[in-house]
């Protein structure tokens, strides 16, 4: 990203101490189905416009338990909803005993960018056919103001997510594992998911927007049918996948949906991304936060937060795959 943010602001410590007592209080008062958003509103998520119906649906229909943001407070209605609830809730880092509910399911995780891309600009600037257009093979990605690259973030979260999904019995494939000098190109990233016949695919990113822009968003494929791109069959299942991921991501991380894109839903549909346009399997991108915002960066650079991020994604994927 070309944007250069203002001087780095010191991390703001208020969110953590504030969230837990508020969450506990809310847990006693708010029906479980509304808890995720209640917590979000109560902790002063940026620019909360109250969410839309779509957002509420995404956040609430699959995700009633407050367990992660309030470890000591069990939801009074925590047993009322879907597949995510029958997973153990003791700890985000202690997934289910390996009962293998995802046995036979294939998940492809695409860690966005590659730390080597900076040294291979001519290769990654090569144009590739994404059906609707031609775009760069890959991009360098962004970085925090302190210089921590997005590509390191994405690979770390991918590893955490892989561990969680494998514990559920899934077969997991990464599009890159720090094992190649650059890339892969976006068309190959899509092809890897297609050839694996993935039941679900997710491309992990963090954004590089202006300071003050905060929160996560999930990018869904729009309907395109042009050249090699034909997403018509995956639009609906990808939206379902994305909604489940968004809802669980809110619940587990306590992070708010983006305040700068998606109208508060945490969901954005795009038709300009090769990784989505060329996919023939259900696939979404997730932008986990804004690396150029100091408060988001404080989260993104925290291993504990990244574990929650992976847990939220995992529970969304599990929910999707179990139906
Ligand atoms: Zn990215």
């Amino acid at each position: 990203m070309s944007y250069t943010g203002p001087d780095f602001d010191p991390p703001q410590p208020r969110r953590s101490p504030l969230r837990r007592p508020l969450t506990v209080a809310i847990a006693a008062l708010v029906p479980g189905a509304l808890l995720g958003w209640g917590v979000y509103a109560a902790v002063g998520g940026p620019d909360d416009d109250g969410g839309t119906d779509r957002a509420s649906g995404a956040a609430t229909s699959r995700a009633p338990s407050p367990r992660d943001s309030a470890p000591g407070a069990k939801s009074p209605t925590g047993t009322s909803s879907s597949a995510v609830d029958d997973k153990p809730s003791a700890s985000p880092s202690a997934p289910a005993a390996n009962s293998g509910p995802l046995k036979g399911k294939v998940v492809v995780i695409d860690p966005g960018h590659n730390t080597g891309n900076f040294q291979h600009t001519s290769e990654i600037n090569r144009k590739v056919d994404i059906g609707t257009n031609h775009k760069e093979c890959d991009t360098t990605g962004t970085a925090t103001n302190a210089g921590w690259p997005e590509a390191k973030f994405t690979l770390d979260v991918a590893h955490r997510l892989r561990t969680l999904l494998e514990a559920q019995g899934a077969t997991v494939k990464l599009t890159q594992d720090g094992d190649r000098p650059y890339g892969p190109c976006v068309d190959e990233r899509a092809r890897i998911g297609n050839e694996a016949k993935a039941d679900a695919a997710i491309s992990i990113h963090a954004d590089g927007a202006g300071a003050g822009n905060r929160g996560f968003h999930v990018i869904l494929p729009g309907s395109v049918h042009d050249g090699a791109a034909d997403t018509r069959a995956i639009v609906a299942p990808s939206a379902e996948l994305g909604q489940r991921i968004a809802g669980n991501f809110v619940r587990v991380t306590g992070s708010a949906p983006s305040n700068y894109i998606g109208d508060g839903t945490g969901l954005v549909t795009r038709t300009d991304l090769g990784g989505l346009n060329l996919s023939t399997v259900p696939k979404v991108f997730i932008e986990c936060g804004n690396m150029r915002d100091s408060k988001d960066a404080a989260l993104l650079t925290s291993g504990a937060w990244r574990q929650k991020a992976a847990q939220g994604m995992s529970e969304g994927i599990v929910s999707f795959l179990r139906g």
Side-chain angles (χ1 to χ4, degrees):
M1 291 292 171
S2 58
Y3 176 83
T4 301
D7 292 338
F8 185 84
D9 296 321
Q12 300 298 308
R14 71 170 172 83
R15 288 176 63 86
S16 294
L18 193 58
R19 181 179 302 146
R20 291 194 177 187
L22 277 171
T23 303
V24 171
I26 291 163
L29 296 172
V30 180
L34 296 174
L35 204 53
W37 288 95
V39 171
Y40 162 41
V43 299
D47 196 22
D48 179 16
D49 62 7
T52 67
D53 292 340
R54 189 180 180 196
S56 297
T60 61
S61 60
R62 331 284 180 198
S65 170
R67 63 171 173 76
D68 200 78
S69 52
K74 293 294 181 190
S75 167
T77 55
T79 56
S80 65
S81 105
S82 64
V84 298
D85 291 316
D86 56 13
K87 290 187 58 196
S89 56
S91 164
S93 59
N98 193 1
S99 56
L102 297 190
K103 186 173 172 57
K105 300 292 188 183
V106 177
V107 179
V108 167
I109 304 172
D110 177 37
H113 315 283
N114 182 321
T115 54
N117 282 359
F118 289 97
Q119 284 79 45
H120 293 272
T121 51
S122 61
E123 290 94 336
I124 67 166
N125 285 334
R126 173 175 74 84
K127 293 287 198 297
V128 298
D129 184 356
I130 67 164
T132 54
N133 200 351
H134 285 75
K135 286 187 77 172
E136 290 78 13
C137 151
D138 205 10
T139 53
T140 58
T142 187
T144 64
N145 290 335
W148 192 57
E150 179 187 354
K152 286 195 172 178
F153 169 83
T154 66
L155 191 57
D156 177 271
V157 175
H159 288 159
R160 295 172 188 271
L161 178 57
R162 177 174 61 187
T163 298
L164 293 168
L165 290 169
E166 286 181 341
Q168 297 289 316
T171 298
V172 179
K173 183 174 179 60
L174 268 56
T175 59
Q176 58 96 359
D177 197 1
D179 52 355
R180 49 188 299 161
Y182 65 91
C185 296
V186 293
D187 55 342
E188 184 179 351
R189 291 175 189 265
R191 191 160 58 244
I192 290 168
N194 298 345
E195 291 179 351
K197 295 182 168 53
D199 297 285
I202 182 169
S203 187
I204 300 172
H205 292 259
D207 214 350
N213 294 317
R214 296 199 59 194
F216 79 93
H217 64 279
V218 175
I219 303 172
L220 314 175
S223 183
V224 295
H225 182 210
D226 196 357
D230 185 358
T231 59
R232 293 172 295 175
I234 67 158
V235 165
S238 298
E240 178 75 14
L241 172 65
Q243 288 165 9
R244 293 188 183 225
I245 290 172
N248 282 278
F249 196 87
V250 165
R251 177 177 57 83
V252 178
T253 65
S255 289
S258 170
N259 68 0
Y260 60 95
I261 189 170
D263 296 324
T265 64
L267 298 170
V268 176
T269 299
R270 288 176 60 171
T271 57
D272 63 326
L273 296 173
L276 294 179
N277 284 3
L278 298 174
S279 184
T280 59
V281 298
K283 183 174 181 181
V284 299
F285 279 41
I286 184 167
E287 298 279 2
C288 295
N290 177 15
M291 298 194 89
R292 293 292 186 181
D293 176 85
S294 60
K295 292 174 185 168
D296 269 13
L299 300 175
L300 297 163
T301 56
S302 158
W305 189 88
R306 292 196 299 276
Q307 186 64 29
K308 290 182 183 181
Q311 185 78 19
M313 293 176 207
S314 174
E315 295 191 12
I317 292 167
V318 169
S319 168
F320 172 76
L321 293 178
R322 297 186 70 180

